[in-house]
Amino acid sequence: MVDRPKGVKSGRELKMMFSSIAKSYDRMNHIMSLGADIRWRKRAAMECVDGYVNPRVLDAATGTGDLALAIAKEARSRGGSADILGLDFNEDMLNVAKEKIARSGFQIELVVGNTQSMNLDGSSFDVVTTGFALRNFDNLKSFVEESYRVLRPGGRIVFLDVARPDVALSRLFQFYYFKIVPVIVVGTRYSPEAYQYLFNSLWIFDKNNALELVKRAGFRNANIKNLSLGAAFMIVATKPRKKAKR
């Protein structure tokens, strides 16, 4: 078993790629998912705040901040609030996030940092989440273990990402991504190379391997929740209240 997704770019290559597409990233997410990414983030946000009134949340690889904002909105809709820290290694993506957060009126802290070696105190968050980033970590095992470390006992992870859908949707999925999306990409500032990489990464990403890494890190009640016939999924798990024997 490998500790990271196959075919993933190096951290330096990813940083350059995301800098090149920061301003068009949100638009292409909506196009590539037919707008379903908004609904998927809503589902992840619900998982993040469920059972909490004022959770302390780490949004790792926050990117342009859409998941962090979805969590803030979900908490407010339930009469509470969320104390959110968004962490990302790419300043260009964070600059886009800063602009959106400023317009939103929410208070969300954004920090430049390495999600696979976090300069954060242990046992300091109720929830650790990430949206559409698992397949891009060059060391997925380290990210999972760091998530375990910074979570408080009893806290949970909510990892949202996309992957190859279930068989019933596979042919339609391939047709859309191979035939339709490339035509759309030509009319945007989204680089074809970045699009191709992101598509390939979701096509070969093994969500079951990711789930196994979560279990090996010591999480309990770990499971995959498929969304849209498996076109997207969440890995949800909890950190034991007492240290588990490995």
Side-chain angles (χ1 to χ4, degrees), residues 9-25 88-93 136 138 189-195 197-198:
K9 287 180 178 287
S10 70
R12 180 174 178 274
E13 291 172 323
L14 281 170
K15 192 171 185 178
M16 293 175 62
M17 184 189 79
F18 281 111
S19 288
S20 73
I21 62 176
K23 293 183 178 180
S24 58
Y25 182 76
D88 202 281
F89 76 151
N90 190 287
E91 292 187 56
D92 293 307
M93 297 285 275
N136 294 321
D138 56 8
R189 288 183 292 175
Y190 196 85
S191 80
E193 294 81 11
Y195 149 73
Y197 170 76
L198 291 172

Side-chain angles (χ1 to χ4, degrees), residues 116-223:
Q116 294 153 76
S117 181
M118 304 179 200
N119 187 24
L120 299 170
D121 292 338
S123 302
S124 55
F125 293 91
D126 299 301
V127 180
V128 175
T129 189
T130 189
F132 310 119
L134 289 181
R135 67 195 192 281
N136 294 321
F137 291 132
D138 56 8
N139 192 329
L140 182 58
K141 178 174 179 288
S142 291
F143 169 68
V144 172
E145 291 175 347
E146 278 290 86
S147 297
Y148 188 95
R149 181 183 68 81
V150 302
L151 264 183
R152 293 167 178 157
R156 75 172 67 106
I157 56 169
V158 180
F159 296 164
L160 171 67
D161 216 321
V162 289
R164 183 188 304 201
D166 294 343
V167 176
L169 204 61
S170 287
R171 289 188 178 181
L172 178 60
F173 189 82
Q174 290 183 65
F175 177 79
Y176 177 68
Y177 273 92
F178 281 123
K179 302 296 184 181
I180 305 300
V181 174
V183 175
I184 298 172
V185 168
V186 171
T188 71
R189 288 183 292 175
Y190 196 85
S191 80
E193 294 81 11
Y195 149 73
Q196 190 62 54
Y197 170 76
L198 291 172
F199 172 71
N200 288 342
S201 68
L202 73 88
W203 195 251
I204 64 177
F205 183 72
D206 186 348
K207 59 188 175 185
N208 290 306
N209 176 62
L211 178 65
E212 183 61 26
L213 290 175
V214 166
K215 292 177 178 178
R216 286 168 55 190
F219 287 98
R220 295 293 179 264
N221 304 315
N223 65 95

Side-chain angles (χ1 to χ4, degrees), residues 31-79:
I31 291 173
M32 292 173 71
S33 70
L34 293 175
D37 61 304
I38 299 171
R39 184 170 66 254
W40 297 336
R41 286 191 199 89
K42 168 74 172 177
R43 287 286 304 277
M46 292 170 66
E47 288 281 349
C48 287
V49 304
D50 190 37
Y52 291 107
V53 177
N54 303 109
R56 172 70 168 152
V57 180
L58 171 63
D59 181 18
T62 191
T64 61
D66 276 351
L67 180 55
L69 284 167
I71 294 167
K73 292 173 184 176
E74 183 64 26
R76 185 174 64 181
S77 75
R78 300 185 182 205

